[in-house]
Structures are given as structure tokens and as C-alpha cells.
Amino acid sequence: MKVGIIGAGQLGRMLALAGYPLGIEPLFLDRTADTPGGQVGPIITGDFADSAKAIELAERVDIVTFDWENVPSATLAQLPAHKVRPCARALEISQDRVSEKALFRALGIPTPDFAEVDSRADLERAVAAIGLPAVLKTRRLGYDGKGQAVLRKAADIEPGWRKLAGNPLVLEAFVPFEREVSLIGVRGTDGAIAFYPLTENVHTGGILRYSRAPYRSPALQRLAERHVRRVLGNLEYVGVLALEFFVVRGRLLANEMAPRVHNSGHWTIEGAATSQFENHLRAICGFELGATRARGPCAMINFIGNLPQLAGALHEPDLHFHDYGKSPRPGRKLGHCTLLAPSATSRDARLTRLLRKFRREGAEL
Amino acid sequence: MKVGIIGAGQLGRMLALAGYPLGIEPLFLDRTADTPGGQVGPIITGDFADSAKAIELAERVDIVTFDWENVPSATLAQLPAHKVRPCARALEISQDRVSEKALFRALGIPTPDFAEVDSRADLERAVAAIGLPAVLKTRRLGYDGKGQAVLRKAADIEPGWRKLAGNPLVLEAFVPFEREVSLIGVRGTDGAIAFYPLTENVHTGGILRYSRAPYRSPALQRLAERHVRRVLGNLEYVGVLALEFFVVRGRLLANEMAPRVHNSGHWTIEGAATSQFENHLRAICGFELGATRARGPCAMINFIGNLPQLAGALHEPDLHFHDYGKSPRPGRKLGHCTLLAPSATSRDARLTRLLRKFRREGAEL
């Protein structure tokens, strides 16, 4: 089985590494060969807007999938729909914060208040309706905190507008959340669905810094599963999908979805019976889904900006290191580690100690 | 860190896949590019007897290691000793069944009786000394039951001789063993040593069919560790080494050693805190060794001759599939699977059922 992966970042790299043992051969498409994925598998180099390259990819593989959801619609439209998993519609909806939230609302999934902003007048009206603080975001191509301005007070409106004007925007209510959690679900070609345990995520500056799993709340797990099940069903989705939520007074507000494997699921490589990467491949290749239960308490720490010393990290018991093969740059995700612990208490103690250690070594955490 | 791997078979492939997350870049040397290793990493193609190719490999990497121990001495001699791990001496000893057993004896490790056989007259003398049944083997290049003749009765001597004459031979006593076990040890550049739990192995026709781990016998574990520790220390070994034993009335008789990662350690990929592949890389790259404890009862089944249906295998709970990317051929190891179970009893029941299922699908088991 040959799987084409559009985008050869770390997600593609981990998909390829999960695929080899199953006999699945990857083929990447990305702008340059020296990418995390291109280092571990064959690659076609080309721009994502170059439909001819995407068509070539599709012709050389059995199934096309994505490590990046912002593939231009014009390119998606050129691909044979039966080979594309998840479907182009899932990608297109997730590319636009307004369509995404409109879908959530249509499916009865609560979201923070939001309003489209296409002009300075729209912004005034939106602020009046939603109140401050609020977050002004580009509708498209925002990730890891990019394309956002927090409007805390009236005086922030004008600078926020100047920063982002020229793009279609959305104003979202600033949610005083207690925590952020995400649920990763996977749906097979036969409609079978499996969910991983909820993961608790800590972001700073819009970038995921660390996660802990399982986040044990049977009530929130049930609620999140109900929400994600609706999205998966509505989109006739095939593959892994992640939905991020704010937890506010015991309620879940959907923040955004990712139609792909997700950073908050990296702990599943060592921490779950089947990793999110293997389950995504199982789903898109038409195989049965693997068990999603956690092997025990886990934590995942992103390495941002620079990698800690490998030797020091390997000194830690049951710590699993993942280097994405990227060159260091501020704000860039260069790798992660997952730690497994016998209890949630020992996991949390080790997590605290490791965060301190990696910060001392220069990681942005 | 760049690691050169001489031999691009399944062991090299699994080393490469274990290395990528650590940021270790593999470079293979093997006769053809379409090998299990060459499918997942860059490769220099050339014969193992071609010293120039091995020298080129060594120049392009930080450390040279092996997925195959029968690299010619003349090639080994051309490599810079400080880059070669494990050392050439370990390979050379393991290439010759007589040197290997002589080392075991010198270190006080019991072995079956054996005698060198260089002539028909030697064979008569050896049979008189050791008795029948016995096994006549080539001293070199035997693996997976190749280069062997079982001499059960006097009438088998002449056909056995005719089959193998022309090679330096060894006659080994046929050991009426209760079971076969192996111990995988790993030694770091700092002399630190770690051992995996004993694995019980079942061979048919000289080929490993399945393994179960951990084989729980504190007395045999201690004894095996004492033996392997001596070998590792004597050779100032760096990396993973496997020693196979016969269990005879509570005693261990050393059968053979492998100066590399070993088929009986494949269960450690999912079944141990750190896999034998990662620990071999940690050792040869000068990092600290990882924990070797088993996560629980495991079994490993080799897929020989043909692969079972992937879809059927993935239906099994907590079964981990490994396809080596080889084309089918009778007697060829094409892949393996590892199953994890909550108890030894359920592991054994599932193993029995799966062996039956895979046999029905045509696997040579």
C-alpha cells in the first residue's frame, strides 16, 4: 500500500515511521526535500498550489492524506475524491474559522461567541455584540498563535485592526477557561469510530507547550465524544480528527478542529495501545482501527526553539525522545518527548521537574 | 549523529526506524538498494568484501555498526577501529563456531561438547568422543539452520560428511534440552551493562518460529546474566549482544552468540521500556542505556515464507505488525508480530490461537 502525504513536516514524518512496519510506503509532497518527512521517505518537491504535482502524487499512490490542512481548494479540487482521506470538504471547513464554528453550531456543539469581521465597522459592531476582552483572528492560515490579536480594552481595537486588516477576520469572545482539552477521534471507512482519552493541553503564546493524558473526567469524555462523533459523522470523515475545547464551568466550548493527526496526540506513540499515527493509516487504508486505550499516565513536552541535550534527556527513566530533524529557529517545534509514569502523581512531579530542566537548557516553555 | 549500518536487512531497518526519533541518521551498506533497510534510509551499494565501500561508509558516518556479523575480516581490518561498534574482534569470534565456543569455555560458560572436524578421520574421532546423536555444522556462515546435518545414527555420518565436506566443520553434541532461551545484554561505552528479561524461543528446522518473554526464572536469569556479563566484559563490547542457551536439567549450555540485535529481542519494540534497537543505538552512540524491563507478558511470532493478511492481523487486539518489505520466498523471514497481553495465561492462549490462524494462512510455523 502506498500513501501520499501532502506536507512533509513532523506529522508526516511520524506517519511515515508508523507506516513502515505495516508495509505502508509513504510518498511526500512538499516545497523542499530537506524536511522532517523528506529525511525518512521519498518526496516530490513542489508548491501546494501546483496542482500538477498533487495530481502526480495521487497517481503514484493508493490514498492521499495530509500533514497540513491548508492545501489550496483549487489543488484539492484536482484530486480524485475517492483517493483523498480525509475528504476535501473536511479540509476546506477547517481552513476557515467561521465555517468551522458554523459547522459546530449546526451540529449543536457549543462554541465561544464569534462574529465575522470584514471591515472596521464590522469590528466595532462585533466588539459591541461580544464585548471585551476578545480575540481578533484571521479566518484562514492562522496556527500556533499566528494571525491573532488580543483585544483587552477599547484602546487595543485600532492596533489589532491595523495588524490584521486586509484579511477576512473573525472576532471571538475571550473565554475565561479553566483548562484546555482535546479529543482525538478516528473513523474508519466502515464508519467505525474510536476515541482516545481526553488530553489536557497547556498553551503559551498560542503554541502547545505540554500535554497530559489521560485527562480523567468521565462526564467530559462522554460529552466530547458526543461532539466529535457528530463532526465525524457529518463529514463522513475517514482518518484521525482532533477537536480542541475550552473547559468552562464544567462545559465544553469547541475552539477548533484539525482534520489530521495532532500535536496533542503525540503521547499515543508510546502511551496508547495504538498510536494516532498508526490509527490514521489504518483508517485511511481501510483497515480495522486499533485499540485507543492509554497504557498509563503520560505527559508530552514540546521542544520549541531549541532541542535539549539528547544525552541529558535519555538519562530520564521512560522518557521517549522525538527529534524532527529541523534546524533551530525561535518559536519552531523541533521535537517533543513523552514520559510514561506509574501514577498521575509521579507523572506530574516528573513533568514539573522536566519543564524546569528543559527551560534551563533554553527550551521555550 | 550519523550511524553506518553494514547490512540492510530487517535488523538494519528496525535500527533505522528506532534511530530517526533520536535524530540518528542511518546510512546502509548492502549489495542492493531494494532491501528492508534501503527502503527506509539511504544506502551505499557494494559487496561486503569491497573494502573501499566499507571505508566510504565509515568516512561518511560517526559510528559503524552491523546488522550482519559475517562481514569479511579483510573488510573489518580496513575500518577505523574507534568508529566500529561492536568491535571487529567480537564479530570475528562469532563468525566461527569453534572460536565462539572456545571463548565461552575460557570464560567458564558451559557449552555442549564439541570437536573440530577438518577431515573424514576427524569426524570419526569426534563421533567416537562425543557420541550420537550429534550435529555436524559448518564453522562459518551457518544461520537459520543452514550448513547443518543432524547425525542420529552411524548411517547418517557419511551423508552428513558428503553434504558439508569442503568446509571447516565442527561436531556438536545433540543436547536433549528442555527449552531454548536467550539473553540480550547491552553494554555502553562507559562499561554500564543492562539485561533484558530472558526470552524463551521455539525453533523448527533451525529457524526461530516464536518467542515468549519474559521467561520468569530468577535463578536462570541470574546465571545467564553472569555468563553474558563475562562475554561483554571480555570483548570490551559496545552495543547489544544476544546469547542463546539450551536449558538442560536447570543448567544453561551456551549455544551461540550474535554480536548484534537479535530476532529473539523483537518483542522489546512494544514490550519493553526501551527496545533493543534503541538501546543498541544508545550504546554505540555513547548515550546512557534505557530501561530494559518488560511492560508485560509478550509473544513474538515470525512470519516465514509468506505474510498473513494484514487486515486479519490488525483485527487482533494489541497485536503489532512488522512487515520487512521483502518479497516472499520459502524459509525467508518476511516479518513478525508482537502481541502484548495482560497475563502470561492469556498471552499463551492467544499465541496458540494465532499460530494456528497464521499456519492456516500459509505461514511456515
Side-chain angles (χ1 to χ4, degrees):
Chain A
M1 197 83 140
K2 288 187 166 65
V3 170
I5 305 174
I6 301 187
Q10 63 266 23
L11 303 178
R13 179 185 177 100
M14 291 184 272
L15 277 172
L17 296 179
Y20 283 126
L22 303 180
I24 294 172
E25 299 169 38
L27 178 60
F28 290 102
L29 171 62
D30 208 330
R31 280 158 287 206
T32 56
D34 188 21
T35 40
Q39 291 164 14
V40 309
I43 186 164
I44 298 172
T45 55
D47 196 89
F48 298 122
D50 183 348
S51 299
K53 295 286 186 175
I55 291 168
E56 182 196 341
L57 178 81
E59 281 169 355
R60 290 173 56 185
V61 301
D62 301 298
I63 297 292
V64 175
T65 192
F66 310 90
D67 111 319
W68 191 64
E69 64 271 33
N70 288 310
V71 179
S73 291
T75 302
L76 291 172
Q78 298 299 314
L79 299 176
H82 70 283
K83 278 195 178 183
V84 175
R85 292 176 184 166
C87 59
R89 185 172 159 241
L91 269 74
E92 284 164 358
I93 287 172
S94 76
Q95 288 172 6
D96 178 352
R97 294 182 189 279
V98 172
S99 325
E100 193 175 79
K101 286 199 167 57
L103 175 71
F104 296 156
R105 292 266 171 112
L107 297 175
I109 304 169
T111 71
D113 285 341
F114 67 96
E116 297 180 42
V117 173
D118 292 320
S119 65
R120 188 70 172 76
D122 279 353
L123 179 55
E124 291 298 333
R125 272 191 296 271
V127 168
I130 289 170
L132 292 183
V135 191
L136 187 62
K137 299 179 177 177
T138 57
R139 284 173 60 165
R140 293 176 166 275
L141 291 169
Y143 67 98
D144 285 352
K146 298 187 173 83
Q148 303 199 2
V150 180
L151 314 184
R152 293 183 195 284
K153 49 191 190 305
D156 295 335
I157 297 175
E158 181 56 27
W161 172 252
R162 269 187 274 121
K163 179 178 170 190
L164 301 173
N167 301 292
L169 302 175
V170 58
L171 188 74
E172 295 176 5
F174 188 90
V175 176
F177 58 83
E178 289 127 43
R179 53 175 49 88
E180 293 174 277
V181 298
S182 56
L183 187 74
I184 293 178
V186 54
R187 183 172 177 276
T189 49
D190 59 352
I193 290 178
F195 297 104
Y196 286 93
L198 276 174
T199 302
E200 182 183 1
N201 304 314
V202 174
H203 292 80
T204 320
I207 305 183
L208 179 62
R209 305 293 160 157
Y210 61 89
S211 296
R212 292 185 294 181
Y215 176 68
R216 293 193 194 283
S217 162
L220 290 184
Q221 181 80 31
R222 270 196 307 276
L223 193 56
E225 289 188 7
R226 202 165 71 201
H227 293 337
V228 175
R229 187 182 297 278
R230 283 183 190 159
V231 176
L232 292 171
N234 178 271
L235 297 172
E236 295 181 43
Y237 194 92
V238 175
V240 158
L241 177 135
L243 195 43
E244 292 185 88
F245 298 98
F246 299 119
V247 182
V248 187
R249 290 184 299 278
R251 286 179 69 218
L252 292 178
L253 296 182
N255 178 28
E256 59 182 42
M257 73 181 200
R260 52 165 167 77
V261 288
H262 192 252
N263 196 166
S264 69
H266 290 359
W267 65 268
T268 62
I269 297 177
E270 295 87 9
T274 315
S275 80
Q276 67 165 346
F277 300 97
E278 177 169 336
N279 254 337
H280 183 69
L281 293 170
R282 286 182 180 227
I284 65 174
C285 293
F287 297 121
E288 211 164 320
L289 305 178
T292 48
R293 72 175 180 286
R295 297 207 184 280
C298 302
M300 188 283 309
I301 301 175
N302 270 341
F303 298 139
I304 298 163
N306 78 341
L307 279 179
Q309 285 293 319
L310 180 58
L314 294 184
H315 172 70
E316 298 294 328
D318 228 340
L319 181 145
H320 303 273
F321 197 88
H322 294 265
D323 180 335
Y324 304 153
K326 292 172 167 179
S327 45
R329 187 198 301 159
R332 198 175 201 200
K333 289 179 184 168
L334 302 176
H336 77 269
C337 72
T338 296
L339 56 118
L340 276 66
S343 69
T345 313
S346 69
R347 186 258 327 265
D348 291 346
R350 290 182 59 205
L351 174 63
T352 305
R353 190 174 55 72
L354 282 170
L355 287 170
R356 211 177 296 132
K357 173 183 155 85
F358 293 144
R359 276 186 201 119
R360 273 200 311 271
E361 295 181 17
E364 301 167 20
L365 281 163
Chain B
M1 197 84 138
K2 287 189 166 65
V3 169
I5 305 174
I6 301 186
Q10 63 266 24
L11 303 178
R13 178 186 178 100
M14 289 185 275
L15 277 172
L17 296 180
Y20 284 126
L22 303 179
I24 294 172
E25 298 169 39
L27 178 60
F28 290 101
L29 170 63
D30 207 330
R31 282 159 286 207
T32 56
D34 188 21
T35 41
Q39 290 164 12
V40 308
I43 186 163
I44 298 172
T45 55
D47 197 88
F48 298 122
D50 183 349
S51 300
K53 294 286 187 175
I55 291 167
E56 180 196 341
L57 178 80
E59 281 170 355
R60 289 174 57 186
V61 300
D62 302 297
I63 298 292
V64 174
T65 193
F66 310 92
D67 111 319
W68 192 63
E69 62 271 32
N70 289 310
V71 179
S73 292
T75 301
L76 291 172
Q78 299 298 314
L79 298 176
H82 69 281
K83 277 195 179 183
V84 175
R85 292 176 183 165
C87 58
R89 186 171 160 242
L91 269 73
E92 283 164 359
I93 288 174
S94 77
Q95 287 173 6
D96 178 353
R97 294 182 189 280
V98 172
S99 328
E100 192 175 79
K101 287 197 167 57
L103 175 70
F104 296 156
R105 291 267 170 113
L107 297 175
I109 303 169
T111 72
D113 287 340
F114 68 96
E116 296 180 40
V117 173
D118 292 321
S119 67
R120 188 68 171 77
D122 279 354
L123 179 54
E124 292 297 334
R125 271 190 297 272
V127 168
I130 289 170
L132 291 182
V135 190
L136 187 62
K137 299 180 177 176
T138 57
R139 283 173 60 166
R140 293 175 165 277
L141 291 169
Y143 67 97
D144 285 353
K146 297 187 174 83
Q148 303 199 3
V150 179
L151 314 185
R152 294 184 194 284
K153 49 190 191 304
D156 296 335
I157 297 175
E158 182 55 26
W161 173 253
R162 269 188 274 121
K163 178 178 171 191
L164 301 173
N167 301 293
L169 303 175
V170 58
L171 188 73
E172 296 177 5
F174 187 90
V175 176
F177 58 83
E178 290 128 41
R179 53 174 48 87
E180 294 175 277
V181 297
S182 55
L183 188 73
I184 293 179
V186 54
R187 184 173 177 275
T189 49
D190 58 353
I193 290 177
F195 298 104
Y196 286 93
L198 277 174
T199 302
E200 181 181 3
N201 303 313
V202 175
H203 292 82
T204 319
I207 305 184
L208 179 62
R209 304 294 160 156
Y210 61 88
S211 296
R212 290 185 295 181
Y215 176 67
R216 295 194 193 280
S217 160
L220 290 184
Q221 181 81 30
R222 270 196 307 275
L223 192 57
E225 288 188 7
R226 202 164 70 202
H227 295 336
V228 174
R229 188 181 296 278
R230 283 182 189 158
V231 177
L232 292 171
N234 179 271
L235 297 171
E236 296 182 39
Y237 194 93
V238 175
V240 158
L241 176 134
L243 195 43
E244 292 186 87
F245 297 98
F246 299 120
V247 181
V248 187
R249 290 184 299 276
R251 287 180 67 218
L252 292 177
L253 297 181
N255 178 28
E256 60 182 43
M257 72 182 202
R260 52 166 168 76
V261 288
H262 192 251
N263 197 167
S264 70
H266 290 359
W267 64 268
T268 62
I269 297 178
E270 295 87 9
T274 315
S275 80
Q276 65 164 347
F277 300 98
E278 177 170 336
N279 255 335
H280 183 69
L281 293 170
R282 285 181 180 228
I284 66 175
C285 293
F287 297 120
E288 210 165 322
L289 305 178
T292 48
R293 72 175 181 286
R295 296 205 185 279
C298 303
M300 188 283 310
I301 302 174
N302 271 340
F303 298 137
I304 298 163
N306 78 341
L307 280 179
Q309 285 293 318
L310 181 59
L314 294 183
H315 172 70
E316 298 293 328
D318 228 340
L319 182 145
H320 303 274
F321 197 88
H322 294 266
D323 181 335
Y324 304 153
K326 293 171 165 179
S327 45
R329 189 197 300 160
R332 197 175 202 202
K333 288 178 185 167
L334 302 176
H336 77 269
C337 71
T338 296
L339 55 119
L340 276 66
S343 70
T345 312
S346 69
R347 186 256 330 263
D348 292 347
R350 289 182 58 203
L351 175 62
T352 305
R353 190 172 56 72
L354 282 170
L355 287 171
R356 209 177 298 132
K357 172 184 157 85
F358 294 144
R359 276 186 200 116
R360 273 200 311 270
E361 295 182 19
E364 300 168 20
L365 281 164

